[in-house]
Amino acid sequence: MARPLSEAKRQAILASAVRLVASMGVGAPTAKIAYGAEIAEGTLFKYFANKDELLNQLYVTIKAELGATILEGFAPHAGIRERGWHIWSRWIDWGADYPLKRQAMRQLRVSERITQASKEAGHTAFHDVSAAFQQAHAEGPLRDQPLAFMNASFEALVETTLEFIARDPQRRDDYKQAGFQIFWNGVGS
Amino acid sequence: MARPLSEAKRQAILASAVRLVASMGVGAPTAKIAYGAEIAEGTLFKYFANKDELLNQLYVTIKAELGATILEGFAPHAGIRERGWHIWSRWIDWGADYPLKRQAMRQLRVSERITQASKEAGHTAFHDVSAAFQQAHAEGPLRDQPLAFMNASFEALVETTLEFIARDPQRRDDYKQAGFQIFWNGVGS
Amino acid sequence: MARPLSEAKRQAILASAVRLVASMGVGAPTAKIAYGAEIAEGTLFKYFANKDELLNQLYVTIKAELGATILEGFAPHAGIRERGWHIWSRWIDWGADYPLKRQAMRQLRVSERITQASKEAGHTAFHDVSAAFQQAHAEGPLRDQPLAFMNASFEALVETTLEFIARDPQRRDDYKQAGFQIFWNGVGS
Amino acid sequence: MARPLSEAKRQAILASAVRLVASMGVGAPTAKIAYGAEIAEGTLFKYFANKDELLNQLYVTIKAELGATILEGFAPHAGIRERGWHIWSRWIDWGADYPLKRQAMRQLRVSERITQASKEAGHTAFHDVSAAFQQAHAEGPLRDQPLAFMNASFEALVETTLEFIARDPQRRDDYKQAGFQIFWNGVGS
DNA sequence: GATGAATGAGAATTCATTCAT
DNA sequence: GATGAATGAATTCTCATTCAT
């Protein structure tokens, strides 16, 4: 079935879901999500067959958006540190600028309702980001661990850094630097 | 007193909650938790006034248990790296040995139902662990960032490491070493 | 609008509530009320946000209906006794004809769940009935007591009379006369 | 089964029930009643086989106490008005002095849980009060109505009067006079 | 006899989803 | 296609009553 109707409404539903999942978790009622999107309760189910599908698409969509955002302006031939910093920097900026999306992701990540398929789709969307790590990985001291482990550590530190920025936005830049330093030193030389 | 509230039952409820929250999130029904604890639905509410209280006590209890476990055998006068390794090691072992508790914590950490007070109680229970970090922090390159930031990074890397161990238990020791290495290099020299 | 909230259903709920509250008091389960209205349990809450609201609206609705019924055919310029008798007569007839509504009111009147606001709304609905008493009051021997006291005495005697009519409907007219006589003599000359 | 154990405890339960039924209606939980009586939840059921029995005994007890109170100092050979006034006066005083008992009775009177037997026992306890009315009744204009009707009117006006005294205790005596006047004029020649 | 933990049948809501309009 | 009323299973919590201590 081709995507029905208004793309604007679809986006409104996703945007409303971001807000509600961020604050209430995946238990946020579909009726509230619909209300936040200014559509009727039943209309939501024209766009998403059921709540699980909405949640999964939300997950994949945010992940894809983040992936694309990170890669904007990425210089594949820059030095390894520059590439790492680019990813770190854009990721942090995205998370600090869209705290609700970040919060929603936090909830979705731990939810049993996100299928394996969605997680894989998320990885796919992140493919280029992962690729950018490969060289660094191959050369670093973690070369015997899966690339995924380095990726995950990076992400964990991004998450930690964003948590602190969220609590204390004034020091955004300090945290951004400090977090990257831990990562870079950590996996480096 | 007719019959005192049985500590065994209280533990059974918490243990059942660990299992169900780990797999279903905080939306796990109290009826299922009670069933898992082999008590009647109503009995649960003799032990915990309501679901929120159960969830919060679960959070604090696990956190306290983890804190105590980490500190067992801790040598306060050992070298700084030894102390760091002790904490890392015991934390990883705990998480690898009790994957359900770790999973439950993951859910509880992001839940809106865990009160500020519980989070603070969790910190208190973790006080000695935090203290053990202080010297390392004062001397390291992160001395201008809050100690909490270093702690959180440590925890984030523990979490990441445990995630990988859970997926691939055979390589438990490899991950354990690799994760610590990232942290130690990251915040070190 | 998909389907408007059906006024017929709303009335069916209120009618069912009348029956159940009359016989079981305000403890009558919403599930039974819904069943009696031939709707699903959940549907009731589309019409009334919660049980208290149902109970309060029931109170106000019955009171308003009674007020309107009493005033039908009221001749404001008739003699004072005629006016009093009109009110008495219509009130008694209403109570005798709708014993369940009367019984429900008995329950609602003593319930802690009826808010002050509803009681005031009830008075408002009864405003014209009260007004009809004013002249009688101003001239009678109770002029030094609040009008409300005379009103309440009237109502108490109506209630008593209806109680007897309910037990012994054959003598409806006797009781109707006797009750009014007590009131009229009581507050009169 | 003879009445077990401490009469003091039995009274404490009834006293606690008065308070709770007055404020919460017959839905007041037995656990709260027990707590108010400073006994254990289960102990209540040693004194009253079940909640209905407690409620019914409460009804009969209050009614009996009221009956006895009214008759204290009653002069059977006084004039008819004096006898009526005596009853009125003592009843009003009792109700004004024990507002919780009066409130509890209001709730019990409309409850489906009070059996016919209890109502009859209540009448029995009131027998002497009723008897005092008989002569007045036989002589008055209501002689063609059941004595019970006159009794009930009296009680209804007592109730009304007490309601007003409860709201405005300062005017206790005014209301007391006014209420009796309505009754006396009402049923008198 | 007193206690209060244990029980499980309700009770009032809530909510994803369907379907008449 | 959009709407939101309708549904009823599921959820949290309450409460009278029993019974082990």
Side-chain angles (χ1 to χ4, degrees), chain C:
Chain C
M1 208 177 349
R3 219 175 324 178
L5 277 178
S6 142
E7 182 58 20
K9 253 167 212 170
R10 194 171 172 279
Q11 293 303 332
I13 295 169
L14 289 170
S16 175
V18 163
R19 278 173 259 137
L20 281 149
V21 170
S23 61
M24 304 184 65
V26 295
T30 53
K32 282 195 178 168
I33 294 171
Y35 179 81
E38 297 182 314
I39 57 165
E41 287 179 46
T43 303
L44 187 148
F45 295 95
K46 291 270 174 190
Y47 288 82
F48 302 93
N50 50 49
K51 192 178 176 181
D52 276 10
E53 199 173 301
L54 168 56
L55 257 16
N56 278 278
Q57 292 204 26
L58 186 60
Y59 176 87
V60 174
T61 302
I62 299 180
K63 196 100 198 206
E65 181 196 309
L66 170 57
T69 302
I70 287 173
L71 287 175
E72 266 168 40
F74 183 72
H77 302 299
I80 192 164
R81 193 181 203 279
E82 281 65 42
R83 282 181 282 147
W85 172 253
H86 175 93
I87 294 172
W88 178 273
S89 179
R90 291 196 69 87
W91 197 330
I92 294 290
D93 287 346
W94 179 88
D97 290 343
Y98 303 106
L100 292 176
K101 288 180 182 168
R102 185 179 70 83
Q103 281 280 99
M105 271 312 263
R106 255 184 109 202
Q107 297 285 350
L108 294 170
R109 208 164 18 229
V110 302
S111 171
E112 351 65 70
R113 305 179 77 163
I114 302 303
T115 64
Q116 196 51 40
S118 296
K119 285 177 189 158
E120 276 154 25
H123 289 150
T124 305
F126 240 59
H127 178 264
D128 292 335
V129 176
S130 298
F133 273 110
Q134 282 188 359
Q135 189 187 342
H137 174 251
E139 296 171 1
L142 285 178
R143 80 181 70 89
D144 295 333
Q145 302 307 326
L147 169 59
F149 187 64
M150 200 179 79
N151 283 192
S153 299
F154 186 91
E155 186 164 355
L157 291 168
V158 165
E159 215 18 76
T160 303
T161 303
L162 285 171
E163 203 66 47
F164 277 73
I165 291 175
R167 282 188 231 155
D168 185 3
Q170 309 269 303
R171 305 193 55 197
R172 173 167 170 170
D173 216 58
D174 289 348
Y175 287 127
K176 189 172 168 181
Q177 300 289 342
F180 186 67
Q181 188 187 350
I182 294 180
F183 175 73
W184 187 255
N185 289 344
V187 302
S189 63

Side-chain angles (χ1 to χ4, degrees), chain B residues 2-3 9 40 42-43 46-47:
Chain B
R3 219 178 323 178
K9 253 167 211 168
T43 303
K46 290 270 175 189
Y47 288 82

Side-chain angles (χ1 to χ4, degrees), chain A residues 87-150:
Chain A
I87 294 172
W88 178 273
S89 179
R90 292 196 67 88
W91 197 331
I92 294 288
D93 288 347
W94 179 87
D97 290 344
Y98 303 105
L100 292 176
K101 288 181 183 169
R102 184 179 71 85
Q103 282 279 98
M105 271 313 265
R106 256 183 108 200
Q107 298 284 350
L108 294 169
R109 208 167 15 232
V110 302
S111 172
E112 353 65 75
R113 306 178 76 163
I114 302 305
T115 63
Q116 197 50 41
S118 296
K119 285 178 189 157
E120 277 153 24
H123 290 149
T124 305
F126 241 57
H127 178 265
D128 292 333
V129 176
S130 298
F133 273 110
Q134 283 188 0
Q135 189 188 341
H137 175 252
E139 295 170 4
L142 285 176
R143 80 183 70 88
D144 294 334
Q145 301 306 327
L147 169 59
F149 187 63
M150 198 181 78

Side-chain angles (χ1 to χ4, degrees), chain B residues 6 13 23 28 32 34 36 38 51 53 67-68 70-71 79 90 102-103 110 125 133 156 168 177:
Chain B
S6 143
I13 295 169
S23 61
K32 282 196 178 166
E38 298 183 315
K51 193 178 176 181
E53 199 174 302
I70 287 173
L71 288 176
R90 292 195 68 88
R102 184 179 70 83
Q103 281 281 98
V110 302
F133 272 110
D168 184 3
Q177 299 290 341

Side-chain angles (χ1 to χ4, degrees), chain B:
Chain B
M1 207 177 350
R3 219 178 323 178
L5 277 177
S6 143
E7 182 58 20
K9 253 167 211 168
R10 195 172 172 281
Q11 293 303 332
I13 295 169
L14 289 170
S16 174
V18 163
R19 276 173 261 137
L20 281 150
V21 170
S23 61
M24 304 183 64
V26 296
T30 53
K32 282 196 178 166
I33 295 172
Y35 178 81
E38 298 183 315
I39 57 165
E41 287 179 45
T43 303
L44 188 148
F45 295 96
K46 290 270 175 189
Y47 288 82
F48 302 92
N50 49 49
K51 193 178 176 181
D52 275 10
E53 199 174 302
L54 168 56
L55 257 15
N56 278 279
Q57 292 204 26
L58 186 60
Y59 176 87
V60 174
T61 302
I62 298 180
K63 195 101 198 206
E65 181 195 308
L66 171 56
T69 301
I70 287 173
L71 288 176
E72 266 168 39
F74 183 71
H77 303 299
I80 192 165
R81 192 182 204 279
E82 281 64 43
R83 282 180 282 148
W85 172 253
H86 175 94
I87 293 172
W88 179 274
S89 179
R90 292 195 68 88
W91 197 331
I92 294 290
D93 287 347
W94 179 88
D97 290 343
Y98 303 106
L100 292 176
K101 287 181 184 168
R102 184 179 70 83
Q103 281 281 98
M105 271 312 263
R106 255 183 109 202
Q107 299 284 351
L108 294 170
R109 206 165 17 230
V110 302
S111 170
E112 352 64 70
R113 305 179 77 163
I114 301 304
T115 63
Q116 197 51 39
S118 296
K119 285 177 189 158
E120 276 155 24
H123 289 151
T124 305
F126 240 59
H127 178 265
D128 292 334
V129 176
S130 299
F133 272 110
Q134 282 187 358
Q135 189 187 341
H137 176 252
E139 294 170 3
L142 284 177
R143 80 182 70 89
D144 294 334
Q145 300 306 326
L147 170 58
F149 188 64
M150 199 179 79
N151 284 193
S153 299
F154 186 91
E155 186 164 354
L157 291 168
V158 165
E159 212 23 72
T160 303
T161 303
L162 286 170
E163 202 67 45
F164 277 73
I165 292 175
R167 281 187 232 156
D168 184 3
Q170 309 270 302
R171 304 194 55 197
R172 172 167 170 170
D173 216 58
D174 291 347
Y175 288 126
K176 189 172 167 180
Q177 299 290 341
F180 186 68
Q181 187 187 350
I182 295 179
F183 176 73
W184 187 255
N185 287 344
V187 303
S189 66

Side-chain angles (χ1 to χ4, degrees), chain D residues 10-162:
Chain D
R10 194 171 173 281
Q11 293 304 329
I13 295 170
L14 289 170
S16 175
V18 163
R19 277 174 260 138
L20 280 149
V21 170
S23 59
M24 303 183 65
V26 296
T30 53
K32 280 196 180 169
I33 295 171
Y35 177 82
E38 298 182 317
I39 57 163
E41 282 177 56
T43 304
L44 186 149
F45 294 93
K46 300 278 183 200
Y47 289 84
F48 302 92
N50 51 47
K51 192 178 178 181
D52 276 9
E53 196 172 305
L54 167 56
L55 256 16
N56 279 278
Q57 292 204 27
L58 185 60
Y59 177 87
V60 174
T61 303
I62 298 179
K63 197 100 198 206
E65 180 195 308
L66 171 57
T69 301
I70 287 172
L71 288 175
E72 267 168 38
F74 183 71
H77 303 299
I80 192 165
R81 194 183 202 278
E82 280 65 41
R83 281 181 282 146
W85 172 253
H86 176 93
I87 293 173
W88 178 274
S89 178
R90 292 196 67 87
W91 197 331
I92 294 290
D93 287 347
W94 178 88
D97 290 343
Y98 302 105
L100 292 177
K101 288 181 183 169
R102 184 178 71 85
Q103 282 280 99
M105 272 312 266
R106 256 184 108 201
Q107 299 284 350
L108 294 169
R109 205 162 22 229
V110 301
S111 171
E112 353 65 73
R113 307 178 74 162
I114 302 305
T115 64
Q116 197 50 40
S118 296
K119 286 178 188 155
E120 277 155 23
H123 291 149
T124 306
F126 241 58
H127 178 265
D128 292 333
V129 176
S130 298
F133 273 110
Q134 282 188 358
Q135 188 186 344
H137 175 253
E139 295 170 3
L142 285 177
R143 80 181 72 88
D144 294 334
Q145 301 306 329
L147 169 59
F149 188 63
M150 199 180 77
N151 283 193
S153 299
F154 186 90
E155 184 164 354
L157 291 168
V158 164
E159 208 30 66
T160 302
T161 303
L162 284 171

